[in-house]
Amino acid sequence: EVQLVQSGAEVKKPGESLNISCKGSGYNFLTSWIAWVRQMPGKGLEWMGSIYPADSDTRYSPSFQGQVTISADKSISTAYLQWSSLKASDTAMYYCARGVYMDVWGKGTTVTVSS
Amino acid sequence: EIVMTQSPDTLSVSPGERATLSCRASQSVRSNLAWYQHKPGQAPRLLIYGASTRATGIPARFSGSGSGTEFTLTISSLQSEDFAVYYCQHYNNWPPLIFGGGTKVEIK
């Protein structure tokens, strides 16, 4: 079964760092783009960026460039979304998904940032 | 940057009726257009890619049409499980990948 398994919910304080993960299985992880998609409370879907694990080609939305870092560890078929300094406005659900049209989705990771 | 505009924001439909959702791109995206269904508490689900190709396991009551700048998702006979938010997304000459704002299909 093709699946993406995301790490669990996080509660953090403003200014803290965070790294959430997305592990692929059941397919060749190296040769499909992995996208990260944000959904803020009550809002729509926003593409943040994507990575191609085979060569680590990474592309960001202008809205998220410099705000987050996307990376991947080929050896364990896992992609990451990282923040160095969280803000309250980063509170959202974060999904990873496979492809440029996204045919497989993780269940999402809820990130809550509150003092 | 291409802007994807969906209409209407909310569509009230009775079960068994037909629903027609629209998605407009600010410039041509050819046929590089996908549709997703998103229900509360669940991950989004790919319905259509290539503007008109149903994804694996998607019922035939879902159909997509259009190319260039105008696209339509049609649900021929709404079932109870179809009430959800629907998003279009283009993937032409990316980055960026852009989602529309969504159309909520609710029970009339």
Side-chain angles (χ1 to χ4, degrees), chain B:
Chain B
E1 180 177 297
I2 296 174
V3 177
M4 306 300 292
T5 302
Q6 291 188 241
S7 60
D9 292 336
T10 303
L11 188 61
S12 298
V13 185
S14 299
E17 289 187 341
R18 182 186 196 90
T20 302
L21 289 67
S22 295
C23 174
R24 174 175 293 176
S26 60
Q27 58 186 272
S28 176
V29 297
R30 300 190 295 175
S31 293
N32 296 316
L33 192 284
W35 289 95
Y36 303 87
Q37 178 191 67
H38 194 194
K39 298 179 182 179
Q42 297 185 20
R45 177 172 72 146
L46 176 69
L47 299 175
I48 301 285
Y49 62 94
S52 61
T53 302
R54 274 190 302 277
T56 303
I58 301 303
R61 64 181 182 272
F62 291 93
S63 63
S65 63
S67 66
T69 62
E70 300 283 344
F71 301 89
T72 301
L73 175 69
T74 302
I75 312 171
S76 59
S77 176
L78 268 157
Q79 306 298 302
S80 57
E81 62 266 29
D82 300 336
F83 293 97
V85 180
Y86 292 82
Y87 295 94
C88 62
Q89 175 235 323
H90 93 78
Y91 51 95
N92 190 62
N93 287 341
W94 70 285
L97 299 172
I98 302 291
F99 288 93
T103 292
K104 181 179 181 180
V105 177
E106 64 176 24
I107 300 174
K108 187 174 183 180

Side-chain angles (χ1 to χ4, degrees), chain A residues 48 60-69 82-85 87:
Chain A
M48 303 175 71
Y60 292 94
S61 163
S63 299
F64 292 93
Q65 180 85 47
Q67 308 304 307
V68 296
T69 300
Q82 303 168 272
W83 292 261
S84 59
S85 181
K87 301 184 283 287

Side-chain angles (χ1 to χ4, degrees), chain A residues 42-53:
Chain A
K43 302 297 184 183
L45 303 176
E46 301 174 90
W47 175 71
M48 303 175 71
S50 296
I51 188 165
Y52 192 74

Side-chain angles (χ1 to χ4, degrees), chain A residues 78-100:
Chain A
T78 300
Y80 300 96
L81 179 63
Q82 303 168 272
W83 292 261
S84 59
S85 181
L86 286 160
K87 301 184 283 287
S89 57
D90 292 317
T91 294
M93 175 71 83
Y94 294 89
Y95 294 101
C96 64
R98 184 180 76 165
V100 293

